[in-house]
Amino acid sequence: MAAVSTATATTAPLAGLSIAEAAERTGLTTDTLRYYEKDGLLLRAVGRSSSGHRRYTEADLRWIGLLSRLRATGMPIRDVRRYADLVRAGSGTEADRLELLRAHRRVVLDQLAEVTEHLGAIDQKIGIYEDVVARQEAEVARA
Amino acid sequence: MAAVSTATATTAPLAGLSIAEAAERTGLTTDTLRYYEKDGLLLRAVGRSSSGHRRYTEADLRWIGLLSRLRATGMPIRDVRRYADLVRAGSGTEADRLELLRAHRRVVLDQLAEVTEHLGAIDQKIGIYEDVVARQEAEVARA
DNA sequence: GCTTGACCTGGAGTGGGCTCCAGGCGCGAG
DNA sequence: CTCGCGCCTGGAGCCCACTCCAGGTCAAGC
């Protein structure tokens, strides 16, 4: 059982990115990364360097990428956690994961439709103000 | 200066809707209606019946409708208040109102684009799970 | 006259999602 | 050896947008 040693040379970063680098890559803050981890949103506890600092692997970053997309489309944290739980539980949960994602998809599509409709109404209002302002400018020009 | 009297018969509601009716019509709660009013989101304090109960006019409801659309598209309350302030300030503020709405429009369009992009990625994930689950079901059928 | 129900007020409480902080540690540079 | 830096932890704090009281008023029905 050889421990953490891959006999490479000098300053090769032994494994993965620091939390600051992960933050930059994911667009999250270091605080948020720690918070997500503590809250069970990651698939497993992020690895640590010998000094106890977190080291993010590419797999970690890919997962965080997906989770960011879920969050950015409005999935509540508790649902993301449920999804993570399912993935963590391994095979046999695929149907549940699929259903969770499909349910989310429906919610997002509904939201998109709703927002688009509201935006249409707001656009009308904008059109009205454009007329008003144009007329005012014409008025000023005439003066 | 005749006061509140439009000599109609029996149970004609003297003016406007009760807060409960307004809530039903707008899809907000009575608490939220009071909260919005207290927070300066309405154009003017809602009228009162002789007993001090709020009476919502159609104009009130129209304004609340617009404000709900702004909120439903993610405009923060402080911006809605700024917009209400501009409307309240009367003519001369049209250009500012227009710019505020246009700025909001840009934000909403950006959001829509972003969410749509994320949804595309999530759809891919869904596709993958559909395959996995279909294959599992085929497996079960074979057994 | 008493009860009931809708509404009133000011203010406290809640839930979600971070964000910030104090105090501490390990490591490379000077 | 001593800095300074990046990171660590647990826990407090914050912002937003409501939501929920408690205690009170008023009008109508019995």
Side-chain angles (χ1 to χ4, degrees):
Chain A
M1 291 179 204
V4 201
S5 63
T6 335
T8 11
T10 45
T11 335
L14 286 184
L17 289 71
S18 72
I19 193 167
E21 290 162 338
E24 178 144 11
R25 284 268 301 263
T26 59
L28 303 176
T29 66
T30 57
D31 276 316
T32 301
L33 283 171
R34 289 194 203 95
Y35 164 63
Y36 282 177
E37 183 178 347
K38 217 190 305 189
D39 227 47
L41 270 54
L42 303 193
L43 295 182
R44 50 202 91 259
V46 173
R48 300 297 176 117
S49 70
S50 57
S51 56
H53 291 193
R54 288 175 179 77
R55 290 294 148 193
Y56 292 82
T57 66
E58 288 299 323
D60 290 332
L61 295 182
R62 273 193 302 277
W63 173 256
I64 294 167
L66 174 58
L67 111 68
S68 295
R69 286 188 191 278
L70 295 175
R71 290 288 306 118
T73 49
M75 183 183 284
I77 280 186
R78 89 186 76 88
D79 291 2
V80 178
R81 185 166 43 232
R82 233 173 59 71
Y83 183 66
D85 289 346
L86 288 173
V87 174
R88 223 178 285 121
S91 50
T93 62
E94 288 85 354
D96 289 345
R97 297 182 217 169
L98 178 55
E99 186 40 38
L100 191 155
L101 292 180
R102 276 179 171 161
H104 180 56
R105 179 172 200 275
R106 283 190 292 274
V107 170
V108 174
L109 284 175
D110 286 358
Q111 269 172 204
L112 284 174
E114 203 199 305
V115 168
T116 300
E117 196 221 308
H118 289 316
L119 187 60
I122 292 168
D123 278 346
Q124 284 202 10
K125 204 82 188 169
I126 288 177
I128 292 169
Y129 275 120
E130 278 169 345
D131 287 358
V132 171
V133 171
R135 218 166 294 141
Q136 287 175 346
E137 279 165 6
E139 189 73 19
V140 169
R142 220 175 302 132
Chain B
M1 293 182 207
V4 201
S5 64
T6 336
T8 11
T10 45
T11 336
L14 285 185
L17 290 70
S18 72
I19 193 167
E21 291 163 337
E24 179 144 10
R25 285 267 302 261
T26 58
L28 303 175
T29 67
T30 58
D31 275 317
T32 301
L33 283 171
R34 289 194 203 94
Y35 163 63
Y36 281 178
E37 183 177 347
K38 217 191 305 190
D39 226 48
L41 268 54
L42 304 194
L43 295 181
R44 51 202 88 258
V46 173
R48 300 298 175 116
S49 70
S50 58
S51 56
H53 291 194
R54 288 175 178 78
R55 291 294 148 192
Y56 291 81
T57 66
E58 288 300 322
D60 289 333
L61 294 183
R62 273 194 302 277
W63 172 256
I64 293 167
L66 173 59
L67 109 67
S68 295
R69 287 189 190 278
L70 294 175
R71 290 287 306 119
T73 48
M75 184 183 283
I77 281 187
R78 89 187 76 88
D79 290 2
V80 179
R81 185 166 44 233
R82 234 175 55 73
Y83 183 65
D85 288 347
L86 289 172
V87 174
R88 223 177 286 120
S91 51
T93 62
E94 288 85 354
D96 288 345
R97 298 182 216 169
L98 178 55
E99 185 40 39
L100 191 154
L101 292 180
R102 276 179 171 161
H104 180 56
R105 178 172 202 276
R106 283 190 292 274
V107 169
V108 174
L109 284 175
D110 285 359
Q111 270 172 201
L112 284 175
E114 202 196 307
V115 168
T116 300
E117 195 220 310
H118 289 317
L119 188 59
I122 292 168
D123 278 346
Q124 285 203 8
K125 203 81 189 170
I126 287 177
I128 291 169
Y129 274 120
E130 279 170 344
D131 287 357
V132 170
V133 170
R135 218 165 293 140
Q136 286 176 346
E137 279 165 4
E139 189 73 20
V140 169
R142 222 174 300 132

